[in-house]
Amino acid sequence: MDQRKKIISSLKKARTSIDQIITAIESDRPECFPVSQQNLAAIGLLKSANLLMLESHMTELASRWSGARSRELKEELIKLMQIAQNK
């Protein structure tokens, strides 16, 4: 599966999770733990989609550069984005 399809898949799954969260909260007595689990799942899916988008962008940029330095730069930027997403 190419990057674009992976990104779209993650976003659609996140949308489904968010719809389920909204439905649960709109009910008379939402159960906190399952809603919290769905919320964390949606966050994880959105982070995953974001990382895939950044990686795809960095790969595109690195393809315009030449040599081993471009690969090193791409890897360092991806690590930086992974660290930033964990905040």
Side-chain angles (χ1 to χ4, degrees):
M1 185 183 308
D2 71 348
Q3 289 292 82
R4 188 180 192 121
K5 288 181 182 179
K6 288 179 185 178
I7 293 165
I8 291 169
S9 176
S10 288
L11 292 172
K12 286 182 178 181
K13 288 176 185 177
R15 179 175 56 194
T16 299
S17 289
I18 292 168
D19 287 341
Q20 290 173 351
I21 294 165
I22 291 168
T23 299
I25 292 173
E26 288 176 340
S27 72
D28 282 342
R29 295 185 147 207
E31 294 184 36
C32 182
F33 187 68
V35 171
S36 181
Q37 281 182 310
Q38 280 298 119
N39 192 40
L40 292 172
I43 290 168
L45 288 162
L46 290 171
K47 283 185 172 186
S48 174
N50 189 52
L51 191 56
L52 287 168
M53 285 188 281
L54 291 169
E55 185 177 353
S56 178
H57 177 68
M58 295 314 306
T59 300
E60 172 65 25
L61 287 178
S63 71
R64 296 179 198 166
W65 303 328
S66 62
R69 288 295 288 165
S70 67
R71 189 174 345 103
E72 288 176 38
L73 178 60
K74 176 189 148 206
E75 289 171 1
E76 287 300 314
L77 289 170
I78 289 170
K79 285 180 193 175
L80 181 71
M81 296 313 301
Q82 288 173 330
I83 291 168
Q85 283 192 339
N86 289 327
K87 295 286 177 185

